[in-house]
Amino acid sequence: MRDRPEDFDEGLLRPALRDWGIDAETLDYAPVGFGDYHWVADERWFVTVADVRQRSYDELLRAMETAAALREEAGLGFVVAPLRAADGTTLRRLDRRRYAMSVFPFESGAAGQWGEDLAPEERGLLIDLLAELHRTPPPLSAPLRPVEPAGRAWLEDAIRETNRTWLGGPYAEPARALIADHAGPLRHRLEELDRMAEKSGEPVVTHGEPHPGNLLRAGAGLLLVDWDTVGLAVPERDLWLVARDPADLARYADAGGRIPDPAALELYRLRWALDDVAEFVAWFRSPHGRTADAEQAWNGLTGTLEALAR
């Protein structure tokens, strides 16, 4: 996030880092990513703080444990996994109910950007990494990732409640008007998702968000970061974000041993868009200000709704 969390006590970080054996001399806020908050400690460690009201602490812990197992036990070197604290855990609560922290090695490399078009050679490298991930036996900690969007209930509530005033901040009422204008297409798209989700395949370990914004270019290879969405699903959960043409799908089939299903690719494309709308709506119905992150969320909401209405 570009904006620091207003209600978070950054003084909690240094004592917590000592659980990892880190007595940080410098701790600098890193305004990157969207969703979690990040700091860099001594230019050696990357500290991530998550708001576990948005997803349960137990769910995030299982994701962190899965990423660590993929690196430590399966030997997947492209996985940028959380480090273990002295007691062996990968996630630490910072307060009673809201914030939790994980620590990663600070990897040098060039970060990608969301929406960036990868060159064909780079797409090929990423497809090979995903095929290797999908062939890996799932760690016991790997959570199931259902097709049902996590925020579906929020979205359906928002569609039903467009006749009431929305509170929260400057984008609340504009968001209500926007959802009211798109209520018909949104209902149609949810019905379409339900029809498409009736078919399912064999689940594998998936990253969940292998877009360029979660890539680091390190030397001649690629690293994948942000494993909080890791879990069991069909391969198309990852592939729709990467494959651009039949050659990409053929490369995956050769490397992964299974032919991607075009219908499943479209299913996950639709699921992503609906989940984005739900997340943005939840944001604007909660307390918020006119910040850079809120503006980014507003642009994301308007653009996604326009795409869903086509």
Side-chain angles (χ1 to χ4, degrees):
M1 302 287 278
R2 285 179 283 182
D3 303 317
R4 291 174 183 258
E6 294 182 358
D7 56 351
F8 175 65
D9 179 5
E10 294 186 25
L12 296 171
L13 293 174
R14 291 180 188 273
L17 280 170
R18 296 190 186 106
D19 291 342
W20 277 263
I22 300 170
D23 194 4
E25 293 184 6
T26 62
L27 192 60
D28 301 312
Y29 186 70
V32 296
F34 192 82
D36 293 336
Y37 304 96
H38 308 285
W39 286 260
V40 175
D42 292 347
E43 298 185 355
R44 294 181 59 193
W45 297 281
F46 192 74
V47 181
T48 295
V49 173
D51 185 342
V52 292
R53 297 180 309 171
Q54 307 299 323
R55 56 200 160 189
S56 75
Y57 175 87
D58 290 342
E59 178 186 337
L60 183 57
L61 176 60
R62 291 187 67 186
M64 293 298 97
E65 290 294 321
T66 299
L70 290 171
R71 176 80 182 213
E72 297 165 357
E73 300 170 19
L76 300 185
F78 58 84
V79 177
V80 179
L83 301 172
R84 296 191 181 276
D87 63 357
T89 59
T90 55
L91 189 67
R92 178 74 80 253
R93 288 189 183 275
L94 292 174
D95 56 18
R96 289 186 177 181
R97 66 183 187 89
R98 183 164 187 182
Y99 291 109
M101 184 180 87
S102 48
V103 181
F104 300 80
F106 184 81
E107 301 281 358
S108 59
Q113 300 292 327
W114 164 255
E116 175 186 352
D117 286 329
L118 297 179
E121 318 82 67
E122 215 163 35
R123 281 204 317 274
L125 289 175
L126 180 53
I127 287 169
D128 291 344
L129 294 188
L130 293 176
E132 185 178 359
L133 173 66
H134 297 169
R135 293 195 309 266
T136 300
L140 293 176
S141 55
L144 288 170
R145 299 296 185 184
V147 174
E148 184 82 351
R152 180 167 186 158
W154 299 339
L155 181 55
E156 290 179 335
D157 284 347
I159 294 171
R160 285 193 296 268
E161 295 177 3
T162 53
N163 59 340
R164 303 180 183 179
T165 300
W166 287 7
L167 305 175
Y171 290 96
E173 278 294 274
R176 180 183 66 83
L178 199 59
I179 294 299
D181 289 344
H182 290 83
L186 283 170
R187 291 192 184 96
H188 172 73
R189 290 295 198 170
L190 285 167
E191 293 169 358
E192 182 182 357
L193 181 78
D194 290 339
R195 290 193 300 270
M196 296 171 71
E198 292 176 359
K199 295 175 60 179
S200 61
E202 180 184 353
V204 298
V205 183
T206 59
H207 178 279
E209 298 184 352
H211 54 71
N214 285 334
L215 288 180
L216 280 177
R217 299 170 175 93
L222 298 175
L223 299 175
L224 266 173
V225 303
D226 282 1
W227 288 83
D228 56 295
T229 56
V230 65
L232 299 175
V234 294
E236 289 82 2
R237 180 179 185 239
D238 286 339
L239 291 174
W240 82 267
L241 275 161
V242 180
R244 291 291 176 267
D245 54 43
D248 290 340
L249 298 178
R251 180 165 181 156
Y252 178 83
D254 289 341
R258 57 197 294 176
I259 299 173
D261 179 0
L265 294 171
E266 290 307 310
L267 165 65
Y268 277 93
R269 190 184 310 277
L270 175 58
R271 182 193 185 280
W272 179 283
L274 291 170
D275 227 6
D276 268 358
V277 172
E279 183 177 349
F280 296 140
V281 164
W283 182 316
F284 293 135
R285 298 188 74 184
S286 301
H288 66 275
R290 194 174 294 279
T291 66
D293 288 326
E295 183 178 355
Q296 183 179 351
W298 174 256
N299 291 336
L301 176 61
T302 56
T304 304
L305 286 174
E306 288 173 4
L308 284 170
R310 291 179 192 143

